[in-house]
Amino acid sequence: MSRLLEGLNPSQRDAVMHVDGPLLVLAGPGSGKTRVITHRIAYMIEEAGIDPSSILALTFTNKAADEMRRRVEQLVPGRRIFAGTFHRLCARLLRKYASLVGLDSGFSILEPSDLQSLVKSIMREMDLDPVHIPPDSVQRRISALKNDLVSPEDFAQQAVDYFDRTVVNIYPRVQEALRAQNAVDFDDLLGHVATILRTNPDLRARLDETYRYVLVDEYQDTNLAQYAIARGLSVDYPNLCATGDPDQSIYSWRGANISNILNFEEDFPGARVVRLEQNYRSTGNILAVADYLIRHNVNRKEKSLTTDNEAGPLVQVVCHKDDTSESRHVAHVIRSCVDEGVRDFRDFAVFVRTSGLTRSFEQAFRALNVPYQVIGGYSFFERREIRDLLAYVRVLVNPRDVSAFERIVKTPPKGIGGTTLERLANYASRKGMPIADACREADHVAGLKKKQITALRDLRMLLDEMAEAVKLPPQQGLSRIVELTDYRKYAEESTSGDPDESTHGVVDELLASAQTFQFDNPEASLLDFVESISLSGATDERDDAQDVVTLMTLHAAKGLEFPVVFLVAFEDKILPHERAVQERGEEEERRLVFVGITRAREELLISYVRSRQFQGTRRFSSPSPFLLELPNDSIARHDVVAAAGYREPPEYDDYANQESGYEEPSIPVYRSSRDPSPSDRYHKGMWVRHHEYGDGMILQIEGEGSSRKATVHFPTAGTKRFVLEKASLQPMS
């Protein structure tokens, strides 16, 4: 047996040994998917003798691509494959074939904020009211059209309502402006390459032959453009391996199309399908809860999750009085476990449905000195200082980049105002020349005074002096730009009060990042480094080395795992999210919960509250209907408000001073000492339906197990008492 098959289960071996022909690997969470992918690539190289340069591995994050590449090189040292994101591959191809879509190889990749400014500018020119037609809504609509490969011309035939008819007029102007700047946005990277493959059959065939073996990870997350690229590279050599899980398809809001994975066997008749169903990550109870829940979905491919891991503690389901009590409780549990030496901070993660729910947890963590990081927030590479310095590189490489040019004019300030910029841009447009080059002819621009002409010429001289920087290795080139702009002094003087040490730190960290990139990629240029930053994502910013609690949205949690997970705000209209259900249906929200549950390795705590401050108002909350879909034999339900002897966690001052005497048991917080009963799913405040009395609310719960009783008020029949195990009461929330 090949060493690359050792330690693999039968299904994993089947996937690894499949070399030629289409392959679909349905990989449940924690089933060793990354190991299978990397061992399969190594097996293809070592056992099947396939040239590594003919293998193309595509992922959705740079972090996943780097890990895949690292593991392959450990298995087959010295054999390097291309492993990267779709966007990185497309940037690479577009640099080479840009002319086929009307660009040149020095094109800029616009930041989302740059694109937003462009959309706003076009709407102002069209005299459109941003209140009635929000620019961000226009931007999202155009992005969705690009993901679905709908051109401005095609969309003009499809628009039906007022909003879409307005977008019909904006969309082509956006594309014209991008081409005029020799620029693309993230969606264009995919769309342009899909267009090149569709309209250039000879080139498509050459690329298909170059990349004879294509592997796409997380195939359920591909949009139509990514699907078209993967299909276009797998026509003559249909050796496409798609790995993923329909049950973890949670990104339809950004264009992901679950049909791509569900229809794989129709696209590739005779495809081999391998199911990875053995979970190596989670305890038995966590896995049972996840598997039981996801079976309520219809739009999926059937599989059963199994594990040889121990059952572990029951999944805890806890009801709190309000969001303050919930967040304080989470913070106290974490602090106590760390203080007792049971856990490290990095062992814990708190998942929320929307980023707006993090505030109370951040406040509670700060009160108890619990260190944390928020994922999906402000990226290091989105810092002002980073974007300022990289704008110079963008202009040097692409003098048509108006967005970057406007930025360098202001940082540091050059004495060039908005009117001067407008006149310069008009002159450049009439002459058909890049705006940065028009600075050389400033004395020919109508309406400019001597001072403004001098400022523009000085800027051009600065850019000329910097020209050699883009030819230097990344770290040296950036250092040269920092020096010539005197950026450190500008950053210091533009900060009120004492010098901002963090500003200097950001510049130093950028240079250090360039040095690392240079070491890992000896042949890379400064433009390559800038491009790598443009294509980085928020999940790539997570620091695994820090001993901190991770606070993040469920969408950002995809691909991660933690010993202990708190799944909070588990309430109707939040999870499932009301608007998401209206727009996309309930199944994707259930998949989102499935993803959250399966991030937990050892312990899972689900919590909800009676009332919550949310979106500016306090409202009464009902438990998520998904709670009714969890298996009773794997969970323990606790209403801590109604529990005898329960008192609220202390105030923040008591927390900090540790004088309250308040004690929490260790994780799991409310471990049940009895077997759960079906009657446990009922709680005070729940609405129920009776076949005779209609709808009513539970006013009181008494007793436990088979003797548990409820007092229910029915508006049409008054107050009634029931033994819950014998009553025909159907929970409504």
Side-chain angles (χ1 to χ4, degrees), residues 236-311:
D236 306 316
Y237 299 90
N239 301 316
L240 175 63
C241 172
T243 67
D245 181 7
D247 292 338
Q248 298 184 67
S249 179
I250 59 174
Y251 297 121
S252 68
W253 50 275
R254 68 183 190 194
N257 190 340
I258 193 174
S259 298
N260 293 346
I261 193 168
L262 293 177
N263 297 336
F264 186 87
E265 293 142 285
E266 296 178 21
D267 292 336
F268 294 92
R272 177 77 180 278
V273 179
V274 176
R275 287 173 167 79
L276 304 182
E277 299 174 307
Q278 184 169 354
N279 180 284
Y280 296 93
R281 176 190 300 157
S282 304
T283 62
N285 280 318
I286 292 173
L287 201 62
V289 168
D291 198 32
Y292 199 88
L293 174 75
I294 201 62
R295 288 178 182 276
H296 288 79
N297 273 8
V298 175
N299 203 26
R300 63 190 297 260
K301 283 186 176 290
E302 189 64 33
K303 66 179 183 303
S304 298
L305 302 180
T306 62
T307 185
D308 292 332
N309 295 340
E310 61 180 17

Side-chain angles (χ1 to χ4, degrees), residues 321-569:
K321 183 182 73 172
D322 56 29
D323 46 316
T324 300
S325 298
E326 178 186 48
S327 57
R328 290 177 180 178
H329 173 259
V330 170
H332 189 88
V333 166
I334 295 172
R335 180 82 257 180
S336 298
C337 287
V338 173
D339 289 346
E340 294 167 10
V342 178
R343 297 280 188 191
D344 295 321
F345 288 118
R346 65 168 60 90
D347 292 340
F348 297 94
V350 180
F351 297 160
V352 295
R353 175 59 181 84
T354 65
S355 58
L357 292 165
T358 66
R359 183 194 57 79
S360 64
F361 293 95
E362 292 190 68
Q363 184 178 1
F365 289 161
R366 288 194 297 268
L368 267 185
N369 293 319
V370 172
Y372 66 94
Q373 60 179 336
V374 180
I375 303 301
Y378 198 57
S379 165
F380 169 76
F381 291 117
E382 293 173 359
R383 291 286 299 263
R384 169 180 61 87
E385 299 90 337
I386 306 298
R387 296 173 63 196
D388 287 349
L389 292 169
L390 298 189
Y392 282 92
V393 182
R394 286 169 53 183
V395 172
L396 290 169
V397 174
N398 177 22
R400 294 185 182 275
D401 191 333
V402 175
S403 300
F405 183 80
E406 291 177 349
R407 192 173 191 93
I408 69 172
V409 162
K410 303 172 185 175
T411 54
K414 310 291 192 303
I416 302 170
T419 302
T420 301
L421 270 176
E422 184 177 352
R423 288 171 177 167
L424 182 69
N426 290 336
Y427 177 84
S429 179
R430 287 197 306 272
K431 290 287 188 175
M433 63 191 308
I435 189 170
D437 291 348
C439 293
R440 301 185 197 280
E441 303 180 12
D443 54 340
H444 296 304
V445 178
L448 296 188
K449 297 178 180 179
K450 183 177 180 180
K451 181 179 179 181
Q452 296 160 338
I453 293 172
T454 301
L456 289 173
R457 283 179 170 174
D458 288 346
L459 174 56
R460 187 61 251 182
M461 288 175 62
L462 174 64
L463 291 174
D464 289 341
E465 195 174 0
M466 285 182 181
E468 291 299 315
V470 295
K471 301 176 183 177
L472 297 173
Q475 196 272 343
Q476 289 92 323
L478 273 179
S479 295
R480 182 65 174 153
I481 291 172
V482 171
E483 175 190 345
L484 289 173
T485 56
D486 202 8
Y487 190 83
R488 292 182 188 276
K489 181 180 179 182
Y490 157 70
E492 179 178 320
E493 291 177 347
S494 64
T495 305
S496 60
D498 295 332
D500 186 356
E501 294 182 357
S502 66
T503 295
H504 292 282
V506 170
V507 174
D508 290 337
E509 190 165 342
L510 175 64
L511 295 175
S513 178
Q515 182 66 54
T516 301
F517 180 83
Q518 188 173 312
F519 179 81
D520 293 337
N521 306 273
E523 303 301 319
S525 66
L526 180 53
L527 177 60
D528 292 330
F529 175 64
V530 173
E531 186 175 283
S532 74
I533 290 177
S534 299
L535 300 178
S536 67
T539 54
D540 297 314
E541 295 301 309
R542 179 172 174 262
D543 188 347
D544 297 319
Q546 289 191 74
D547 187 22
V548 296
V549 175
T550 299
L551 178 58
M552 66 198 318
T553 64
L554 281 162
H555 283 99
K558 183 77 159 41
L560 304 177
E561 61 180 70
F562 302 88
V564 184
V565 166
F566 292 91
L567 183 47
V568 300

Side-chain angles (χ1 to χ4, degrees), residues 136-258:
D136 57 341
S137 297
V138 172
Q139 190 172 342
R140 284 196 300 270
R141 185 70 174 112
I142 292 174
S143 175
L145 291 168
K146 290 183 180 183
N147 285 333
D148 287 339
L149 300 178
V150 178
S151 69
E153 297 75 22
D154 292 338
F155 185 53
Q157 307 301 317
Q158 302 174 10
V160 291
D161 58 24
Y162 174 74
F163 178 76
D164 274 2
R165 286 196 297 272
T166 304
V167 175
V168 162
N169 295 319
I170 300 172
Y171 186 8
R173 297 189 186 205
V174 169
Q175 293 308 96
E176 289 168 9
L178 287 170
R179 279 197 168 83
Q181 293 189 41
N182 189 37
V184 299
D185 62 16
F186 289 172
D187 299 317
D188 287 329
L189 285 173
L190 304 176
H192 285 328
V193 170
T195 297
I196 288 171
L197 293 175
R198 185 182 72 250
T199 58
N200 297 271
D202 291 341
L203 174 58
R204 186 216 60 76
R206 289 203 305 272
L207 291 172
D208 193 345
E209 185 171 10
T210 298
Y211 300 117
R212 295 191 179 197
Y213 295 88
V214 179
L215 185 148
V216 180
D217 191 19
E218 305 291 1
Y219 196 71
Q220 77 280 350
D221 294 335
T222 53
N223 59 31
L224 186 58
Q226 291 159 333
Y227 166 82
I229 293 166
R231 290 283 284 131
L233 296 176
S234 307
V235 177
D236 306 316
Y237 299 90
N239 301 316
L240 175 63
C241 172
T243 67
D245 181 7
D247 292 338
Q248 298 184 67
S249 179
I250 59 174
Y251 297 121
S252 68
W253 50 275
R254 68 183 190 194
N257 190 340
I258 193 174

